[in-house]
Amino acid sequence: MKKKISVNDCKSMFNDKFNTLTMKELGIELKHFSMGTAPETPSFLVNQDELKKKITEKFCDFFDVNKAQGLEIVFLKSNYGNGKSHFIRTIYTFLSEYENVITGRVSLKQEETDLKKKILESISQKVLKECATFLINSVEEDALSEEEAAILMAVEEKYSIDATLAKLLYEAARSNDVVLQVQAIAILKGNYLPEYLKNFGCKKQELNSEFYYNVIKLVSIYLKKIDYFLVIVFDEYEHVFSWKSEKYKKNVYEDIKLFTDNLATFGNMFFVFAESISVDNESESSNDPAFKSRKANLTYQIVDISSETEVEKLFRMIL
């Protein structure tokens, strides 16, 4: 049975688990090594003691109830073949074992990637419905009546959101029509069909960046209320540099800058971006020098496996 995560649990995140593998798991892991790919659930990391310590401390602070639970953003940077995928898959699989941690894995290969919607993809329909119900119920005492119009106005005022978002939250929480509930939640997640919009009097242009920033902000409020956490690992960040569309590149940079400007607003969330060093990395500076400067303070270098001692250790582990 899953349990809630504690600070002490985090300390074992990167412990070697190789000796605990079943024969089947061992065979799968060795097959990955023979192919030169990272296992889905890596059992150990070689030559990263200093970085493992730093990342462990980050997560210990993040899950410490006695400390501020502001947003955390980390970039893990690596030359190809030095453990980037091992790192993020270890983080993801470890945290997925805890009932109060919502985890997500996102690949940034696809050019038309909206970071905000990728974050919301990791939030289940159930959690979004519960979030909407909490937010609507939280304004009942402030509303002038129990009528829908009064509730909607109270939600807009309390959480500084527009009428469109308030209406969708109300339908997700209180609609007696299951189909409408599902459609409202789909719009909140950003994976809706165009025909859903007319059922709520929505226009596509209303569902802009600010709209989805506000949805994520409201999810953060709910996560804090129930002591849950959201951790998402974004793999293959280096693909952003080679996207042909400057618009989508700029949107990713702007999203990350907004999140880093509002750490308290997006609390109980931890985003890990994994990046391999490629020939396109330098294009980041010309796209947004200010963002590159800020990102440098969030970046941790994965050490190259370069010495005979390190190779010998890896060899003996596999042997």
Side-chain angles (χ1 to χ4, degrees):
M1 181 178 178
K2 288 187 175 183
K3 64 174 184 176
K4 292 187 176 181
I5 196 165
S6 70
V7 174
N8 282 333
D9 293 325
C10 293
K11 295 176 182 178
S12 63
M13 181 180 293
F14 297 112
N15 285 358
D16 288 346
K17 307 176 189 69
F18 198 76
N19 292 330
T20 66
L21 298 181
T22 65
M23 290 303 294
K24 182 178 180 180
E25 291 169 334
L26 184 62
I28 292 172
E29 183 139 359
L30 290 173
K31 188 169 185 178
H32 272 287
F33 274 110
S34 69
M35 296 171 62
T37 57
E40 283 296 304
T41 57
S43 64
F44 68 95
L45 285 163
V46 173
N47 187 41
Q48 305 297 338
D49 291 345
E50 188 61 33
L51 184 52
K52 285 191 287 188
K53 181 181 178 183
K54 289 179 181 178
I55 300 302
T56 298
E57 288 173 353
K58 281 276 186 187
F59 276 107
C60 284
D61 289 343
F62 178 68
F63 290 115
D64 190 340
V65 295
N66 297 314
K67 296 183 179 180
Q69 304 301 317
L71 171 69
E72 284 283 358
I73 295 181
V74 166
F75 284 83
L76 295 178
K77 197 170 184 177
S78 167
N79 284 312
Y80 285 104
N82 283 294
K84 171 181 68 81
S85 296
H86 275 72
F87 246 106
I88 61 170
R89 290 180 183 182
T90 297
I91 292 169
Y92 174 81
T93 54
F94 177 83
L95 294 175
S96 296
E97 294 299 313
Y98 295 91
E99 65 174 20
N100 63 329
V101 184
I102 300 168
T103 54
R105 275 175 60 182
V106 174
S107 170
L108 293 174
K109 276 187 175 182
Q110 188 176 351
E111 184 160 7
E112 296 184 10
T113 296
D114 185 318
L115 209 59
K116 301 174 294 300
K117 293 180 182 179
K118 287 296 181 182
I119 290 169
L120 290 167
E121 277 184 14
S122 300
I123 307 297
S124 68
Q125 290 184 357
K126 179 176 181 291
V127 170
L128 264 179
K129 182 183 183 303
E130 291 170 350
C131 174
T133 301
F134 161 74
L135 294 167
I136 296 299
N137 290 346
S138 71
V139 302
E140 286 186 326
E141 292 184 4
D142 299 325
L144 296 176
S145 75
E146 295 181 2
E147 295 295 321
E148 178 180 337
I151 296 289
L152 291 178
M153 184 174 291
V155 170
E156 292 171 40
E157 291 177 351
K158 182 168 183 174
Y159 296 108
S160 301
I161 59 176
D162 62 23
T164 299
L165 180 48
K167 173 68 173 176
L168 289 165
L169 290 170
Y170 188 89
E171 293 294 339
R174 295 196 172 176
S175 177
N176 293 321
D177 186 330
V178 175
V179 173
L180 285 179
Q181 273 193 333
V182 170
Q183 291 181 356
I185 292 169
I187 296 172
L188 292 172
K189 285 173 67 69
N191 61 357
Y192 59 91
L193 297 175
E195 54 262 34
Y196 294 177
L197 301 184
K198 62 184 179 182
N199 293 329
F200 305 98
C202 294
K203 296 179 180 178
K204 188 174 182 179
Q205 56 265 35
E206 295 174 324
L207 308 178
N208 52 23
S209 285
E210 184 179 1
F211 176 90
Y212 285 107
Y213 282 138
N214 282 330
V215 175
I216 296 171
K217 176 187 74 174
L218 297 175
V219 169
S220 174
I221 291 171
Y222 179 62
L223 293 179
K224 292 176 188 175
K225 178 68 178 178
I226 63 174
D227 293 324
Y228 266 57
F229 304 87
L230 174 67
V231 179
I232 303 179
V233 294
F234 295 89
D235 198 5
E236 300 175 303
Y237 175 80
E238 69 275 5
H239 283 279
V240 175
F241 311 136
S242 59
W243 289 354
K244 294 179 181 178
S245 170
E246 293 299 320
K247 171 188 172 184
Y248 286 114
K249 286 183 187 178
K250 183 180 178 181
N251 287 346
V252 169
Y253 301 149
E254 290 299 322
D255 284 344
I256 296 174
K257 283 196 292 188
L258 183 133
F259 286 126
T260 55
D261 283 338
N262 298 276
L263 300 180
T265 300
F266 301 101
N268 281 43
M269 297 184 178
F270 199 126
F271 303 149
V272 182
F273 292 86
E275 170 187 358
S276 293
I277 298 173
S278 69
V279 294
D280 296 314
N281 288 57
E282 288 303 313
S283 67
E284 188 176 44
S285 59
S286 59
N287 282 304
D288 196 331
F291 168 68
K292 184 176 182 181
S293 175
R294 185 179 307 190
K295 177 191 159 196
N297 297 319
L298 306 171
T299 299
Y300 294 83
Q301 182 70 45
I302 295 175
V303 180
D304 290 349
I305 299 176
S306 56
S307 74
E308 290 185 12
T309 303
E310 293 152 9
V311 175
E312 176 76 11
K313 182 180 179 182
L314 176 59
F315 172 74
R316 295 215 171 272
M317 284 289 290
I318 298 172
L319 185 64

